[in-house]
Amino acid sequence: MVLFLLTFGGVQAAMWYHARNLCQSAAQLGVQAARALNAPAGAGADAARHYLDKAGGGVHEIRVRQSSTTTSVTVSCSALADAIVPVRALSAVRQSATMPLERFTTQAGP
């Protein structure tokens, strides 16, 4: 019984870790797209979703959100990892990335 729990627990942990890495990568790519000078609204969320679509399986019930202030942008990704153990709390992942927005500035001369 213990060997059974360790085996399936280890597989579930690996699946959770994989989903966490997918969400973190999606958030980072999304924030890089969103922070570009004159990026269209929703560019970060679109880039994150596109990455997750191309990256393959491992996650479902994906939610990507983008928010910004006057100086920074945040893209967050939440999803559920594929599960062997049917406990929602063991498969939920949430990752986010924040970066400053690119802005055009001028420097005063000497």
Side-chain angles (χ1 to χ4, degrees):
M1 180 66 170
V2 173
L3 183 60
F4 179 78
L5 290 175
L6 287 174
T7 301
F8 284 101
V11 170
Q12 183 62 50
M15 293 169 83
W16 177 86
Y17 188 75
H18 174 69
R20 180 184 158 274
N21 286 343
L22 283 175
C23 276
Q24 183 62 41
S25 295
Q28 288 174 347
L29 287 171
V31 82
Q32 289 173 6
R35 75 182 294 255
L37 187 62
N38 299 325
D46 291 343
R49 283 188 198 99
H50 180 73
Y51 172 77
L52 289 169
D53 289 343
K54 297 294 180 186
V59 293
H60 57 280
E61 294 187 34
I62 300 165
R63 291 190 182 111
V64 178
R65 292 185 180 90
Q66 176 181 332
S67 61
S68 59
T69 64
T70 57
T71 59
S72 67
V73 64
T74 300
V75 174
S76 60
C77 173
S78 60
L80 293 177
D82 289 341
I84 292 176
V85 181
V87 178
R88 189 176 185 93
L90 295 177
S91 63
V93 295
R94 179 173 169 80
Q95 296 292 305
S96 64
T98 302
M99 293 183 86
L101 289 170
E102 290 182 353
R103 297 181 294 158
F104 180 75
T105 60
T106 60
Q107 293 183 344

